Amino acid sequence: MQSHQSKKIEINGIVQGVGFRPFVYAHAQRFGLTGWVRNTSHGVEILVSGKPADLNHFIKEFETSPPPLARIDHFSAETTPYQAFPKFEILASQPNPGDFIPISPDMSICEDCQRELFDPNDFRYRYPFINCTNCGPRFTIIKIIPYDRPYTTMADFPMCETCQAEYNDPLNRRFHAQPVACPDCGPQLAFISKTDQSEAMGEDALQATRQYLADGKIIAIKGLGGYHLACDAKNEVAVSTLRNRKKRSDKPFALMANDIETIWQYCFISQEEENLLSSRQRPIVILDQKPDSGLSPQIAPFQTTLGFMLPYTPLHYLLMEPAESFPQVLVMTSANLSDEPIVYQDEDAFSRLGNIADAYLIHNREIYMRVDDSVTRVMNHQPVILRRSRGYAPNSIRLPFQTPQILAAGAELKNTFCLTREDYAFLSHHIGDLENLETLEAFEAAVVHYQHLFSISPQIIAADLHPNYLATRYAKQRAETENLSLVLVQHHHAHLAACLADNRRPDDNQRVIGLIFDGTGYGSDGAIWGGEVLIGNYQNYERRYHLSYTPLAGGDLAIKTPARVALSHLWRAGLPWDDILPCTTELCMEERTVLRNQLELGINAVPTSSMGRLFDAAAAMIGVRQKVNYEGQAAIEMEQLVDPLENGSYPFHLHGQEIDPTPVWEALINDKYQGIHQAVLAARFHNSVTQLCLQICQQIRSEQQLNMVVLSGGVWQNKVLLKNTIKNLKNHQFEVLTHQQVPPNDGGIALGQAAIAARLEQIRS
Ligand code: ZN
Ligand code: ZN
Ligand code: FE
């Protein structure tokens, strides 16, 4: 016994509700150790006794094979005076008010549950709500903390004896799995047809749904974080009917297929893309479509890409089960009306989706927090998150410094908000475009929910400088009524800081070059910024260069009409509105006269340095698109035209702070006269921006010896631009930071706002 030792181990991170204590228990048994494990309000605590070699093996297991959903943020083990225990046991929790536990996102069904789902001998055979500690719903069903069944939407379902026995058994995969359920005691499916008023339950409901889908009908399906609208992706009529009923022109629909092999029939899939598709988060992955894929062109009009995801719930696997008469690929698009948030409550589904769906597949497990599907794309061999939601939120992002408790309200479009405490930043799931009452209500409800879940009462509120953003108004109002300090952050400074925080750059006063290329952001001079070269850090920034101001005549009308943006750019550059340019002929003579007057008199013409608008202008001049139906459409379509073998480019002119595109337009129009193909023009324009980035960075390096470059802003969702620019900068020994955990678009803004507010506060105090 002399050689025996005791160790006290403390672990923080996502270690509760993910099978951590059974994991500890099982390994303690395996190595013949005694002692105990218990949940505390900040993680898990273990006291364990045994031979030193066995203790070391035990500790090694946390590194080599932790439970799949666990995330260890801090691990400490110290030797303590030897204590003898009769056995190893799991003790009751030790809560501590004010502390918090990170909450796991909802995770796709695990392999074990998937096997049981299709095993005729298992008592959960074909049960659509099978789950265990390694998988299933989490964030979407939690009402309040602690994460215990009575505080989730599973409270309505008392466990049967079998489930209870598994729940109580430390060696069972379902030990303390809060959503555990079976056909006897858990939620059930129901099918309701609108066409013939028929209803069905359980397996019959599933089969009725499959029959409807096979017949080309549109079904509203209740999922994990909200409703989907589903139909056969090969059925032209079904897809265009869905598009018409949803009033959604051109914006692509997401697709679901049962396995990678099926997706491979329609799209090219790299190893990185396959890994992302089959990851536990199961995001939508944007893939390059194969020519003549046979899917309805109505799925993603004018696009060469498709957004695919694999099934992520047991219900999806049952729904997608391959059969000769059943569609291989389903459209699975978020159920909402145009710009409203995703529908997640049953009453809402019946009232709002009544004119869209032919039938409903619902269930009686309530969704407490709505969460959309996440959207990702592999760019330059790295996964980039374009919409951070299901599977990722509410995972915390570790900050490189300690922060006070802050609420950052985020931006207007693709809104997410961020709450911080200690060195954790909780970036919310995707809320949506904060342009209507429904979305604002979803935003406010989610803020309150996150504050409760993570025990945060903000002392500081950060928001965008834009006076008319609903999120900014909300922030100002709260700061006033609760007497909190308010920090207003310039939009592109927030982008820069978001990328620094995303990469865990310490706050060491080192300045970086920020190439912040974006659609729209309110500038400190009241203009609309977006083609910004900032030099700065968390605390402040200098606007070193920006695209020349061009009047955005007509505001919103201009944003929806790239032709007008193009003509405005030509006007600014003093170039004629030549009839060889499709953007000129797009407008009739009268419209041109009105536009010219607006520009010359400066009526309703806000100056903008937007890089997004520069891409719109180029797309219109090249003849890619004159009107858009959603943000970024023209740029997306121009990007996919790019001839990868073309390496010509056009020069920008730098003078003072300005990046003047006049010579780019001159050269492009000249190429147009030569009859050069669109694909070459698109490539030359992209190359021009890539060359500009290098030129600017070299200029700044020669002036200020700065070597680190940050790429952030919505324009960096452009795969061609991102890849070429990174390559070009790295070839010239620049260090390049891009987004890893949060989107480069405005979905990442709140993280930057929070980081800036945290550092400003530190300077003050
Ligand atoms: Zn499982
Ligand atoms: Zn049961
Ligand atoms: Fe932005």
Side-chain angles (χ1 to χ4, degrees):
M1 286 302 273
Q2 298 311 9
S3 63
H4 279 44
Q5 270 187 359
S6 291
K7 293 256 186 209
K8 186 173 183 193
I9 300 170
E10 283 182 347
I11 304 165
N12 291 357
I14 297 178
V15 291
Q16 293 189 17
V18 293
F20 210 84
R21 286 172 305 162
F23 161 84
V24 171
Y25 182 89
H27 287 295
Q29 300 282 7
R30 196 172 128 221
F31 296 114
L33 306 174
T34 61
W36 49 259
V37 56
R38 71 179 172 200
N39 281 345
T40 66
S41 46
H42 50 273
V44 162
E45 205 177 13
I46 304 164
L47 190 62
V48 65
S49 300
K51 293 189 196 128
D54 293 329
L55 286 169
N56 286 338
H57 286 132
F58 175 74
I59 287 170
K60 196 95 192 136
E61 290 294 330
F62 292 90
E63 237 173 78
T64 54
S65 61
L69 297 192
R71 190 187 85 182
I72 297 177
D73 290 338
H74 298 283
F75 184 97
S76 72
E78 57 175 280
T79 309
T80 58
Y82 176 68
Q83 280 179 266
F85 298 99
K87 59 178 180 180
F88 194 88
E89 56 187 335
I90 295 174
L91 301 184
S93 312
Q94 279 277 302
N96 200 354
D99 279 350
F100 79 103
I101 293 291
I103 286 166
S104 167
D106 305 272
M107 285 297 171
S108 68
I109 178 172
C110 72
E111 281 177 19
D112 291 325
C113 286
Q114 204 181 327
R115 189 172 22 76
E116 290 170 353
L117 180 66
F118 290 104
D119 175 3
N121 298 317
D122 193 277
F123 82 109
R124 292 191 184 87
Y125 176 55
R126 299 189 69 80
Y127 180 57
F129 304 96
I130 186 170
N131 66 79
C132 72
T133 46
N134 300 328
C135 73
R138 291 290 185 281
F139 175 58
T140 52
I141 62 165
I142 297 174
K143 292 182 175 178
I144 45 170
I145 47 162
Y147 175 50
D148 262 331
R149 191 171 177 109
Y151 308 122
T152 70
T153 62
M154 285 300 291
D156 304 341
F157 302 97
M159 276 180 272
C160 69
E161 270 179 34
T162 320
C163 286
Q164 186 76 55
E166 291 184 326
Y167 182 91
N168 291 340
D169 175 4
L171 289 178
N172 192 285
R173 207 172 85 244
R174 297 194 167 87
F175 177 70
H176 282 216
Q178 306 304 345
V180 75
C182 78
D184 290 338
C185 65
Q188 300 293 340
L189 287 180
F191 170 86
I192 302 156
S193 165
K194 275 185 57 211
T195 40
D196 62 3
Q197 311 306 318
S198 63
E199 292 184 15
M201 296 288 290
E203 182 69 29
D204 293 342
L206 181 74
Q207 293 312 329
T209 305
R210 280 170 60 91
Q211 189 58 54
Y212 264 59
L213 288 167
D215 291 344
K217 297 280 199 291
I218 296 163
I219 318 289
I221 298 176
K222 187 177 180 180
L224 196 56
Y227 274 74
H228 280 121
L229 288 162
C231 73
D232 179 355
K234 278 195 177 167
N235 188 321
E236 194 83 39
V237 178
V239 178
S240 49
T241 305
L242 174 58
R243 200 166 270 292
N244 289 336
R245 290 187 191 166
K246 220 185 153 193
K247 300 191 176 64
R248 177 164 169 145
S249 46
D250 294 2
K251 222 172 176 180
F253 287 146
L255 301 173
M256 183 178 278
N258 192 53
D259 46 44
I260 295 278
E261 291 68 36
T262 307
I263 302 176
W264 193 79
Q265 293 177 33
Y266 305 100
C267 291
F268 299 100
I269 309 176
S270 69
Q271 189 57 55
E272 293 97 349
E273 286 162 340
E274 180 174 340
N275 295 347
L276 196 53
L277 278 164
S278 38
S279 67
R280 289 173 178 283
Q281 289 82 6
R282 292 287 158 94
I284 296 167
V285 182
I286 296 177
L287 301 167
D288 287 329
Q289 189 173 358
K290 290 183 176 171
D292 307 315
S293 72
L295 295 176
S296 164
Q298 284 294 308
I299 292 168
F302 313 107
Q303 292 215 13
T304 55
T305 55
L306 289 172
F308 258 107
M309 62 184 149
L310 289 173
Y312 53 86
T313 66
L315 175 58
H316 291 152
Y317 274 107
L318 294 168
L319 189 70
M320 300 299 305
E321 199 178 7
E324 199 151 334
S325 59
F326 189 73
Q328 264 194 321
V329 180
L330 293 183
V331 167
M332 284 287 254
T333 182
S334 296
N336 56 358
L337 292 174
S338 314
D339 296 323
E340 291 179 4
I342 185 170
V343 170
Y344 72 112
Q345 284 165 327
D346 301 337
E347 316 84 72
D348 240 22
F350 294 126
S351 63
R352 289 183 194 228
L353 306 178
N355 296 323
I356 304 179
D358 298 309
Y360 298 89
L361 179 65
I362 63 167
H363 58 74
N364 53 349
R365 186 179 71 201
E366 189 199 334
I367 299 169
Y368 189 74
M369 203 19 61
R370 71 178 116 207
V371 180
D372 285 90
D373 292 318
S374 293
V375 182
T376 62
R377 190 175 187 185
V378 172
M379 300 205 241
N380 199 37
H381 305 288
Q382 297 254 350
V384 177
I385 300 178
L386 303 178
R387 185 209 276 163
R388 184 178 179 276
S389 215
R390 176 185 49 76
Y392 299 98
N395 256 352
S396 59
I397 291 157
R398 299 292 303 288
L399 293 171
F401 41 72
Q402 295 284 321
T403 86
Q405 300 198 349
I406 299 171
L407 166 65
E412 176 105 320
L413 298 178
K414 302 182 171 73
N415 178 276
T416 61
F417 59 85
C418 185
L419 283 155
T420 63
R421 58 174 291 169
E422 286 117 50
D423 59 346
Y424 291 98
F426 298 95
L427 186 68
S428 78
H429 56 281
H430 169 80
I431 303 290
D433 296 346
L434 272 182
E435 292 178 315
N436 54 54
L437 187 65
E438 289 76 12
T439 315
L440 180 65
E441 282 169 359
F443 167 85
E444 292 178 354
V447 169
V448 170
H449 187 54
Y450 273 71
Q451 283 189 205
H452 285 156
L453 283 185
F454 303 112
S455 304
I456 295 174
S457 39
Q459 299 309 302
I460 304 166
I461 304 215
D464 195 280
L465 207 54
H466 199 305
N468 296 329
Y469 277 7
L470 291 181
T472 301
R473 289 190 193 169
Y474 168 89
K476 284 182 176 168
Q477 200 173 16
R478 264 197 73 173
E480 198 171 315
T481 49
E482 295 174 36
N483 196 22
L484 309 172
S485 45
L486 178 71
V487 178
L488 294 179
V489 181
Q490 200 282 319
H491 189 94
H492 304 98
H493 185 208
H495 271 301
L496 181 141
C499 195
L500 291 176
D502 192 347
N503 286 279
R504 302 208 55 174
R505 291 296 310 164
D507 182 32
D508 52 7
N509 286 320
Q510 198 195 329
R511 297 188 308 155
V512 298
I513 305 168
L515 302 177
I516 316 299
F517 295 170
D518 204 17
T520 298
Y522 191 80
S524 57
D525 58 358
I528 299 173
W529 292 10
E532 310 305 311
V533 179
L534 308 182
I535 298 176
N537 51 27
Y538 293 109
Q539 281 105 23
N540 46 43
Y541 70 93
E542 166 204 345
R543 193 186 190 201
R544 180 63 186 87
Y545 291 103
H546 62 85
L547 275 174
S548 300
Y549 281 139
T550 301
L552 201 57
D556 265 5
L557 182 63
I559 289 176
K560 287 183 180 132
T561 324
R564 288 171 179 273
V565 182
L567 294 179
S568 303
H569 262 280
L570 292 174
W571 176 82
R572 191 211 62 86
L575 296 169
W577 291 356
D578 199 312
D579 273 351
I580 197 175
L581 297 171
C583 53
T584 309
T585 48
E586 171 70 16
L587 271 66
C588 69
M589 285 314 257
E590 205 186 329
E591 287 173 310
R592 283 183 231 169
T593 309
V594 173
L595 177 62
R596 191 175 285 280
N597 274 333
Q598 276 188 321
L599 291 168
E600 273 163 13
L601 301 171
I603 305 163
N604 190 16
V606 192
T608 185
S609 58
S610 166
M611 183 61 86
R613 295 298 86 77
L614 190 85
F615 273 75
D616 283 349
M621 286 186 216
I622 291 171
V624 180
R625 179 163 281 281
Q626 310 304 330
K627 283 197 177 105
V628 294
N629 292 309
Y630 57 90
E631 198 209 2
Q633 186 177 17
I636 290 169
E637 290 176 23
M638 178 166 64
E639 176 196 342
Q640 61 198 19
L641 267 180
V642 166
D643 174 354
L645 298 177
E646 169 60 33
N647 45 33
S649 67
Y650 311 127
F652 284 85
H653 178 54
L654 296 183
H655 51 93
Q657 283 192 356
E658 269 190 61
I659 305 166
D660 182 355
T662 303
V664 172
W665 302 140
E666 283 169 342
L668 196 151
I669 293 165
N670 195 37
D671 274 358
K672 234 13 222 178
Y673 269 108
Q674 311 286 321
I676 291 173
H677 194 268
Q678 276 191 334
V680 175
L681 298 180
R684 288 185 182 169
F685 177 75
H686 279 75
N687 295 344
S688 310
V689 178
T690 295
Q691 279 303 110
L692 169 71
C693 291
L694 179 63
Q695 188 191 349
I696 281 173
C697 290
Q698 285 180 319
Q699 180 64 35
I700 295 174
R701 178 158 66 188
S702 72
E703 291 165 5
Q704 314 201 23
Q705 287 76 48
L706 298 179
N707 204 51
M708 191 178 288
V709 184
V710 157
L711 307 183
S712 187
V715 170
W716 295 109
Q717 295 172 100
N718 184 317
K719 192 172 169 173
V720 172
L721 186 70
L722 184 77
K723 190 176 165 207
N724 292 344
T725 305
I726 292 175
K727 190 173 150 206
N728 211 11
L729 290 173
K730 286 194 171 164
N731 279 346
H732 290 82
Q733 285 74 49
F734 284 99
E735 193 179 338
V736 184
L737 300 184
T738 57
H739 284 281
Q740 316 285 319
Q741 310 170 73
V742 308
N745 58 45
D746 287 2
I749 282 270
L751 177 67
Q753 292 173 344
I756 289 168
R759 300 330 282 159
L760 285 180
E761 197 56 25
Q762 202 212 26
I763 295 171
R764 272 186 223 161
S765 56

